[in-house]
Amino acid sequence: MLIDLSHPIIAGMPVLPGDPQVRISPALTIAADGVAVAAIACGSQTGTHIDAPAHLVPGGRTIEQVSLDELVGEALVLDPAVPATCAGREALTPERLGLARFDAVPRMVLVRTGWDRCFGEPRYLQHPYLTREAAAELWRLGMRVLGIDAPSPDRTPPAGEPLDLAVHEIVLGGD
């Protein structure tokens, strides 16, 4: 089964707090230049993206040092059944993910929360997130690549609250 987690890159799309906003403007026009070309400016964490260890770990591997082979293959898809209301900020614990049933998991684990249906809604950044305990247990079970259909596997806090990147630290810190 093919799983597509991509979203189109469009001006005004949601980005995590502090990240550069997406700007798209005409660079060339058919009338003046014979071709239409857009200039795109955005942060590296815009939309669907891959975090390399260097995103959080000083001296960690950068994305060009991560082989495509590391990102292709068998994956376990976990479906914690997040309500369709886009209510938000639900903690995905080891119990909620049903991790006790596994002795081991494949290298790649995808968490399908259904939050992609909230893309573009005001509550998009109030997404479900993995707890530190869930990430640590997945790592212990053998997960090395984590994917989620939300903006981040960590909780995006409301303005003024500190950012906790526990899931990033566990996964990227382990290379």
Side-chain angles (χ1 to χ4, degrees), residues 90-149:
E90 293 195 39
L92 303 177
T93 63
E95 296 77 23
R96 180 81 183 267
L97 295 173
L99 299 183
R101 63 190 157 148
F102 299 107
D103 294 324
V105 297
R107 286 182 51 263
M108 289 189 287
V109 174
L110 303 176
V111 181
R112 180 177 41 209
T113 69
W115 200 253
D116 57 306
R117 71 180 165 272
C118 303
F119 182 77
E121 293 186 17
R123 294 180 172 223
Y124 184 62
L125 294 179
Q126 298 173 13
H127 56 87
Y129 61 95
L130 276 72
T131 62
R132 174 185 303 271
E133 297 76 20
E137 180 62 5
L138 284 167
W139 188 266
R140 187 190 73 74
L141 291 169
M143 177 271 306
R144 297 300 180 261
V145 176
L146 175 65
I148 189 166
D149 59 354

